[in-house]
Amino acid sequence: MASFFIEGGHPLSGTITPQGAKNEALQVICATLLTSEQVTIHNIPRIRDVMNLIQLLKDIGVKVSDEGNTFTFQADELNLNYLESDEFVHKCSQLRGSVMMIGPLLARMGKAIIAKPGGDKIGRRRLDTHFLGFERLGAQFHHLAERDVYEISAEKLRGQYMLLDEASVTGTANIVMAAVMAKGTTTIYNAACEPYLQQLCKMLNQMGARISGIASNLLTIEGVEQLNGTEHTILPDMIEVGSFIGMAAMVGDGIRIKDVSIKDLGIIPNTFRRMGIKVKEEGDDLFIPHMRHYEIQSFIDGTIMTLADAPWPGLTPDLLSVLITVATQARGSVLVHQKMFESRLFFVDKLIDMGAQIILCDPHRAVVVGHDRKVQLRGGRMSSPDIRAGIALLIAAMSAKGTSRIDNIEQIDRGYEDIEGRLNALGAKIRREK
């Protein structure tokens, strides 16, 4: 286990470039299982979750070459015996992204065995959407209670119309990857349409798939016999871009976030603008000037601002933790409604211990009353419960008076590459200790 020691109160300035998108990387890396030919992927972030998934692919026989942030995959000699082993099942149980191996393995090999995946402790994240989609395509699955694994098989998947019960990103990605080699046409309504899902569909089309309706919630997939190799570049991580905007507002003295792919950020910049933060677009960069004060807007009728997560193009739930932290030093109040996960707001007790004025109404709603910088947060000792709460606590610690300690930073490492090195280059004082 490792910890961060953060000396607060140091302003940050300079330029920072976001890493490749974690959520896209997990999808497109799993998609390499759909072909026996080489697939080269650029801008892969070297973070814990992604590197663990790559190691899992190596374990099942995928040949992987590594050149910095560019990786080449070739899945031409998969070890089917290892796919059924207890060791493989155990490794899957430690990694949330492993669930997206099911679709490709089912499409190409006709079967998959996978454990209930691990990941953040942010509440239940059910797999029903994945399994219901596979069932519609003709797969059968059984829960083997003695091993706590799911066994899924299909002689030949067949395209079908389906209406998803929720616009699940990983569920849509998994079903798409299964359907690209199914016989006939698959239509997915209420599909997720996040930029990262769009990227996956574009990459699959480059490999020979026939997917239309990309960027909408209605996808049509005409099955093909096989897919070919390709080359693909991952988008900048929009969650990291949002984290840096919040960081610049709290402790920045002028920060440029470089090469962010503004067109793929959706409402993220405007959400921070509603918090009173100046976000300037300069080419494909964002510049956030020093903010002595920032004031949360009200609705037109004068009522308190409410921020709520929603499927794309709504606000991603991954940024609510950062927005709550930013609001602690704003002028005004905001109600944050976290609809998708019932445990994700519990980290606010750590902000309250640091002096923040937050009322946790229930597991899904919190009201933040901003200090307007009149009261500085206090440093303290805390532990990171998940990736996004971890980065939010790191932002709070950098703005706090005194030295803070954050334990369990392996959670932060799952989503942010060399975060202390990149922030120290801007002027932060962060030390990692085992």
Side-chain angles (χ1 to χ4, degrees):
M1 300 289 286
S3 301
F4 279 150
F5 290 83
I6 306 101
E7 188 179 306
H10 295 280
L12 311 186
S13 62
T15 299
I16 192 165
T17 302
Q19 66 190 24
K22 171 200 170 190
N23 291 337
E24 180 186 341
L26 296 176
Q27 295 176 29
V28 298
I29 288 171
C30 289
T32 65
L33 293 170
L34 286 164
T35 179
S36 61
E37 297 184 12
Q38 285 190 354
V39 178
T40 299
I41 304 177
H42 304 287
N43 202 29
I44 290 181
R46 301 183 72 91
I47 54 178
R48 183 179 292 264
D49 273 12
V50 170
M51 299 309 293
N52 284 347
L53 179 62
I54 291 173
Q55 183 58 52
L56 198 57
L57 264 62
K58 289 181 180 178
D59 292 341
I60 65 174
V62 179
K63 301 180 182 73
V64 180
S65 65
D66 172 357
E67 297 180 15
N69 294 104
T70 294
F71 288 75
T72 298
F73 304 85
Q74 187 165 12
D76 57 343
E77 295 179 348
L78 296 182
N79 184 346
L80 298 182
N81 291 329
Y82 184 77
L83 285 168
E84 299 183 6
S85 70
D86 288 337
E87 181 181 351
F88 174 72
V89 167
H90 175 71
K91 288 185 177 181
C92 288
S93 70
Q94 307 299 311
L95 178 63
R96 179 73 190 173
S98 65
V99 71
M100 283 180 289
M101 295 171 63
I102 303 176
L105 290 173
L106 192 59
R108 188 164 164 220
M109 302 298 170
K111 64 178 180 178
I113 294 180
I114 197 157
K116 183 178 179 181
D120 294 318
K121 293 176 172 57
I122 59 177
R124 294 168 294 175
R125 290 191 284 182
R126 57 191 180 84
L127 300 178
D128 299 56
T129 302
H130 303 244
F131 290 140
L132 291 171
F134 296 146
E135 274 191 322
R136 289 290 293 162
L137 294 173
Q140 299 85 41
F141 72 94
H142 307 281
H143 181 226
L144 306 180
E146 68 278 8
R147 296 177 67 195
D148 195 23
V149 300
Y150 295 94
E151 184 180 69
I152 309 164
S153 61
E155 286 188 14
K156 182 61 179 177
L157 298 175
R158 296 187 178 274
Q160 293 287 341
Y161 169 85
M162 63 183 78
L163 173 61
L164 300 188
D165 60 333
E166 64 171 342
S168 164
V169 178
T170 56
T172 302
N174 230 344
I175 296 166
V176 166
M177 288 189 282
V180 290
M181 294 171 69
K183 184 176 178 60
T185 300
T186 300
T187 303
I188 306 174
Y189 196 26
N190 195 30
C193 52
E194 270 80 353
Y196 306 143
L197 197 282
Q198 298 173 34
Q199 287 281 97
L200 170 67
C201 292
K202 291 174 183 176
M203 172 176 149
L204 291 172
N205 280 350
Q206 290 170 357
M207 296 169 69
R210 297 174 181 171
I211 306 171
S212 58
I214 298 172
S216 77
N217 67 347
L218 181 62
L219 295 175
T220 302
I221 305 155
E222 298 176 46
V224 298
E225 287 296 322
Q226 66 179 29
L227 295 181
N228 309 312
T230 191
E231 194 166 343
H232 177 78
T233 300
I234 292 174
L235 288 174
D237 195 310
M238 69 169 79
I239 312 304
E240 193 170 74
V241 172
S243 301
F244 293 155
I245 295 173
M247 199 174 292
M250 288 278 281
V251 293
D253 193 20
I255 291 180
R256 178 175 299 277
I257 310 170
K258 195 163 185 59
D259 298 331
V260 301
S261 189
I262 291 173
K263 65 182 178 61
D264 294 302
L265 293 179
I267 66 170
I268 289 173
N270 279 340
T271 301
F272 282 97
R273 291 180 181 119
R274 292 170 71 186
M275 300 285 289
I277 297 164
K278 294 178 182 177
V279 182
K280 299 181 179 180
E281 299 179 8
E282 300 178 357
D284 207 27
D285 300 349
L286 298 179
F287 180 74
I288 294 83
H290 172 69
M291 301 289 298
R292 182 69 187 92
H293 296 279
Y294 48 96
E295 184 171 358
I296 300 171
Q297 298 176 4
S298 299
F299 286 119
I300 293 174
D301 62 1
T303 55
I304 185 174
M305 175 63 65
T306 299
L307 297 178
D309 57 338
W312 185 270
L315 178 63
T316 171
D318 285 344
L319 278 177
L320 290 185
S321 301
V322 171
L323 287 163
I324 287 172
T325 302
V326 171
T328 64
Q329 291 301 315
R331 179 182 295 159
S333 302
V334 63
L335 169 65
V336 176
H337 191 173
Q338 163 60 268
K339 298 177 181 178
M340 297 175 67
F341 305 106
E342 64 268 28
S343 304
R344 208 164 199 172
L345 294 185
F346 290 161
F347 87 101
V348 302
D349 63 342
K350 300 171 178 62
L351 295 177
I352 293 170
D353 289 343
M354 297 175 77
Q357 295 184 350
I358 303 175
I359 302 167
L360 186 60
C361 308
D362 55 47
H364 292 277
R365 295 177 300 162
V367 175
V368 186
V369 181
H371 285 310
D372 192 21
R373 299 197 189 273
K374 294 176 182 176
V375 179
Q376 189 177 5
L377 296 178
R378 300 183 298 270
R381 182 171 180 176
M382 58 206 90
S383 180
S384 173
D386 63 77
I387 302 173
R388 309 309 174 187
I391 199 69
L393 293 174
L394 183 60
I395 294 171
M398 287 192 293
S399 74
K401 182 179 181 180
T403 299
S404 298
R405 173 175 172 173
I406 302 177
D407 299 323
N408 196 30
I409 60 171
E410 287 79 8
Q411 286 285 357
I412 302 175
D413 291 338
R414 289 179 48 222
Y416 295 85
E417 181 179 347
D418 186 29
I419 190 64
E420 74 272 26
R422 290 192 288 158
L423 296 182
N424 284 342
L426 297 179
K429 300 292 183 183
I430 305 170
R431 186 176 79 257
R432 178 188 293 258
E433 287 193 5
K434 294 287 186 180

